[in-house]
Amino acid sequence: MNVRNLVLFTILGMGMGAGCDDVGAVDAADADLGAVLPRPGSGASGGVWLNTSTIGTTAFSELDLSGQVHAGAQFTGAQLLRPGNVWLDITNGSVKDGTLEAKVGSKVYKGADLIGSRWQLTLFNADTDGDGDHDADDEAAVPVEIWITAVQQISTKEARYVFETYDADDNVVPVCSPDASGATTMVPIKDLAVDEVTGKMTKRSNTLYLACTSGAIGKAVTWGYRPWERTLEEFEVATRMIRADYCFTGHSFTQTGTSMQVKDRYNINTFLHTGDPNEAVWGRTGVRCINTPRSSTYSAPQVQCNGQTLPACPSDVSLTTYSDALFWTKVDAG
């Protein structure tokens, strides 16, 4: 299929307010939390990826849907498959809450209608001109195509999508690495840009972030911390908590197979085993205290942020101990 004319996507606005879901007690342990994956991803410092989305050997998470080169990629077009093997150019699209929508003329398509849709991109793999970015001035521009093969509707506001593409040997492969359940799904997030080194999140207009459920950002959504219900600050802290990023610098203090529990201020998740050792309490701008690091490689005094040892948690610590506490985590004692 030839690349069509540039498609301009306009992302619908959405509110960001605190909310909660009636999920009940959830053990937030995942066997792959600390997995070091065999293919590239983003934010790999310390072992837990921010995202696991790749095309070939190129990490890929963000698209500027107005067609600007951004984060080493440029979006160049998309088509929708309709009955009778008819292809229609998508003329406009949007992210609304956690779902994708596509418009052809005045008609809006979403959900299962997007299965088979094909998206054309150009990837810029190397900063060959040395200016610190990956754009059209760099060499090795590679045209690629990804397509949606499945849509899982979680609710009226949330869906998960499976994107596939070709690898270097022309094999069809998922864009996302599998999560703990084996799913290669991703969640669309509106106007999100993430520093792959530090994990810092910023709002960026006309940007679509495709978050694999096997990475920390997608996992934060599946654990209930949906960015369309949280502030950006709160969502970022959720991803740092998942990665054991105690210093809020992007470094993840965890290892393969490490599980944990989380209790939060939103009444989404809570402890199943209250007697397990306290790990940490997570505030809006940093870890407020730490007792038992998630990885047995470290002791609490070895976790230093800006050269300073973090305070120990008091024996009666709780989410009310610190006024800005968002999460309280425990190490799974097995």
Side-chain angles (χ1 to χ4, degrees):
M1 178 180 298
N2 294 326
V3 175
R4 309 296 180 88
N5 293 332
L6 177 67
V7 180
L8 175 64
F9 270 57
T10 304
I11 302 180
L12 298 180
M14 63 182 180
M16 282 192 173
C20 61
D21 300 307
D22 187 15
V23 175
V26 175
D27 186 354
D30 270 325
D32 71 332
L33 254 180
V36 179
L37 302 172
R39 68 180 194 171
S42 63
S45 176
V48 178
W49 300 111
L50 280 165
N51 202 13
T52 69
S53 175
T54 59
I55 299 177
T57 59
T58 302
F60 158 76
S61 298
E62 302 174 22
L63 275 180
D64 183 304
L65 294 177
S66 68
Q68 299 298 310
V69 176
H70 169 66
Q74 183 178 32
F75 175 58
T76 56
Q79 293 79 41
L80 188 69
L81 178 63
R82 302 306 301 144
N85 203 34
V86 174
W87 291 95
L88 303 176
D89 285 333
I90 297 173
T91 54
N92 186 272
S94 63
V95 178
K96 186 176 182 182
D97 297 317
T99 63
L100 292 170
E101 296 183 353
K103 182 180 283 188
V104 177
S106 60
K107 186 172 178 58
V108 175
Y109 297 90
K110 55 186 176 180
D113 285 336
L114 299 183
I115 295 175
S117 62
R118 306 183 79 90
W119 303 34
Q120 290 84 39
L121 320 171
T122 298
L123 299 182
F124 302 92
N125 294 317
D127 178 24
T128 54
D129 64 359
D131 64 356
D133 60 18
H134 307 273
D135 59 20
D137 296 327
D138 295 314
E139 296 178 5
V142 179
V144 297
E145 191 168 58
I146 61 177
W147 54 89
I148 296 176
T149 60
V151 177
Q152 179 186 10
Q153 200 69 42
I154 305 301
S155 69
T156 57
K157 293 186 176 182
E158 181 180 351
R160 315 248 169 94
Y161 303 83
V162 175
F163 279 84
E164 292 184 346
T165 189
Y166 291 110
D167 66 12
D169 297 320
D170 289 331
N171 299 310
V172 174
V173 294
V175 172
C176 288
S177 293
D179 60 21
S181 69
T184 56
T185 51
M186 58 170 53
V187 181
I189 301 176
K190 170 193 180 290
D191 286 0
L192 178 66
V194 182
D195 187 309
E196 296 180 357
V197 175
T198 67
K200 177 66 178 176
M201 295 183 178
T202 55
K203 184 175 181 179
R204 186 181 186 278
S205 298
N206 294 326
T207 303
L208 167 63
Y209 194 98
L210 294 169
C212 300
T213 56
S214 50
I217 295 176
K219 195 181 295 289
V221 178
T222 65
W223 286 14
Y225 311 120
R226 302 177 181 93
W228 52 94
E229 298 174 348
R230 309 266 82 83
T231 66
L232 186 61
E233 175 189 57
E234 291 171 321
F235 185 64
E236 180 184 314
V237 177
T239 65
R240 295 191 186 280
M241 176 269 295
I242 288 169
R243 299 186 68 232
D245 179 3
Y246 301 130
C247 298
F248 283 40
T249 60
H251 181 78
S252 174
F253 289 84
T254 189
Q255 62 187 14
T256 302
T258 306
S259 57
M260 43 82 76
Q261 296 186 84
V262 58
K263 184 174 183 178
D264 56 67
R265 68 184 294 267
Y266 316 107
N267 296 317
I268 295 173
N269 296 313
T270 192
F271 300 138
L272 292 183
H273 309 290
T274 57
D276 282 350
N278 290 320
E279 179 190 19
V281 175
W282 305 76
R284 292 182 179 275
T285 58
V287 166
R288 294 294 170 247
C289 67
I290 186 169
N291 278 1
T292 306
R294 199 174 306 170
S295 170
S296 59
T297 302
Y298 302 95
S299 64
Q302 290 176 309
V303 179
Q304 296 192 348
C305 302
N306 294 321
Q308 300 296 315
T309 301
L310 293 172
C313 298
S315 59
D316 61 347
V317 70
S318 72
L319 280 173
T320 61
T321 304
Y322 305 93
S323 60
D324 70 337
L326 300 179
F327 306 102
W328 173 17
T329 52
K330 287 179 176 284
V331 174
D332 190 350

